[in-house]
Amino acid sequence: MSSSQAPPDYVCPLTKRLMKEPMMSRYGNHFERAAILEWLNQGNNYCPLTGNPLRPSNLISDKTLQWKIEYWAKKHGVALEEYKTNDEIPLGYVAVPQERFICPLTNDVMEDPVMTRDGLNFERKAILDWLDQKGDICPISKKPLRPSGLVANGKLKWEIQQWQLHEGDQSKEMSKLELQSKLSKAEMVSRDFALSDILRALTVEDSPTKDSSEKATMDKVDVLSVLDDVMNTI
């Protein structure tokens, strides 16, 4: 690969530039931190690639990818600030959820909807927090409401899941197992361990009798897995 053509995964689809601080969404897509946060702060509550619901809390810093990008840029003599691609990067369409999918307390698509005897639906945690803080009264009907008067709405939950599955670009989504693996690595390296911690994790003896206070702060398998990812870009 020539120095003028970076791997597509290294380029933010919003800025078309090499990412300095890549953030990974719940769907496995990457964006420059500042760019995706600005996108969401502008009132967009969906992923610009898949069209699926997205909030800042659904993003995680991906230090593994950051290392890869920095290594590639150094190897090819490319300045992160100067690189920009002219390739068109297709963005997703706006997947507008039905109004009944939205919790009236959070204004977000519900993940665990519960229903009152009057047929009103809320996100479980949101309505339980409301009742705990405001007392036993429904925030919409103003009628008496107690936690025991809520029932899980499995049908609505299924409909929401189907909407999220079919309205997004499935080719842009990752399997749960693959996403969990990537999130685990990203969370591990995002803790910014010192080089000494990394070396200790790689050299520590695996012994069932070793005192817990002497155990490495990082798991050897996780470290080797991250380093293997980086080496694959060489």
Side-chain angles (χ1 to χ4, degrees):
M1 180 175 295
S2 67
S3 60
S4 60
Q5 186 67 37
D9 292 344
Y10 294 0
V11 179
C12 172
L14 294 175
T15 65
K16 296 186 179 181
R17 295 183 181 276
L18 286 174
M19 291 179 281
K20 294 181 181 179
E21 295 182 83
M23 300 286 286
M24 182 166 62
S25 76
R26 63 188 299 178
Y27 308 108
N29 303 117
H30 288 87
F31 305 91
E32 177 64 45
R33 177 193 293 271
I36 188 62
L37 291 180
E38 180 180 1
W39 166 273
L40 296 174
N41 287 337
Q42 289 174 348
N44 303 305
N45 60 355
Y46 59 92
C47 171
L49 285 179
T50 67
N52 284 329
L54 183 66
R55 292 181 290 179
S57 59
N58 301 141
L59 298 167
I60 183 172
S61 178
D62 192 338
K63 290 298 180 69
T64 302
L65 181 59
Q66 183 178 338
W67 290 349
K68 289 182 178 182
I69 295 172
E70 291 175 353
Y71 177 85
W72 180 90
K74 183 177 181 180
K75 180 179 179 180
H76 294 275
V78 175
L80 294 180
E81 299 82 2
E82 298 176 0
Y83 183 92
K84 184 174 184 179
T85 180
N86 293 320
D87 296 339
E88 287 297 325
I89 303 176
L91 299 182
Y93 58 88
V94 180
V96 180
Q98 298 183 37
E99 185 176 354
R100 62 196 182 95
F101 293 173
I102 305 294
C103 172
L105 293 175
T106 65
N107 290 321
D108 284 327
V109 176
M110 290 180 282
E111 296 181 0
D112 186 14
V114 293
M115 183 172 60
T116 69
R117 290 189 175 91
D118 294 326
L120 299 172
N121 290 282
F122 301 92
E123 178 66 37
R124 181 186 298 274
K125 184 179 185 305
I127 187 61
L128 291 178
D129 286 346
W130 167 276
L131 296 176
D132 182 57
Q133 297 172 12
K134 305 293 184 179
D136 297 336
I137 185 170
C138 176
I140 303 300
S141 68
K142 305 304 180 183
K143 295 180 180 180
L145 178 64
R146 305 184 66 180
S148 58
L150 300 169
V151 294
N153 193 336
K155 182 177 182 295
L156 180 59
K157 182 177 182 179
W158 181 85
E159 291 176 352
I160 292 173
Q161 291 174 338
Q162 291 301 303
W163 171 78
Q164 292 175 327
L165 176 64
H166 295 294
E167 291 299 324
D169 182 353
Q170 299 178 44
S171 67
K172 295 293 185 181
E173 296 186 16
M174 307 171 68
S175 69
K176 289 185 177 179
L177 183 61
E178 184 181 4
L179 179 57
Q180 182 179 12
S181 174
K182 286 185 175 291
L183 285 173
S184 177
K185 288 183 184 179
E187 288 173 346
M188 188 271 288
V189 296
S190 68
R191 285 179 281 174
D192 291 325
F193 285 103
L195 179 59
S196 58
D197 290 327
I198 297 176
L199 294 177
R200 188 180 304 113
L202 294 175
T203 58
V204 66
E205 292 292 335
D206 294 319
S207 172
T209 60
K210 182 174 287 293
D211 186 83
S212 60
S213 63
E214 298 178 3
K215 293 178 65 177
T217 55
M218 300 177 71
D219 184 82
K220 183 189 297 186
V221 175
D222 284 341
V223 178
L224 289 175
S225 180
V226 172
L227 293 180
D228 180 62
D229 274 353
V230 177
M231 292 303 292
N232 284 337
T233 67
I234 299 176

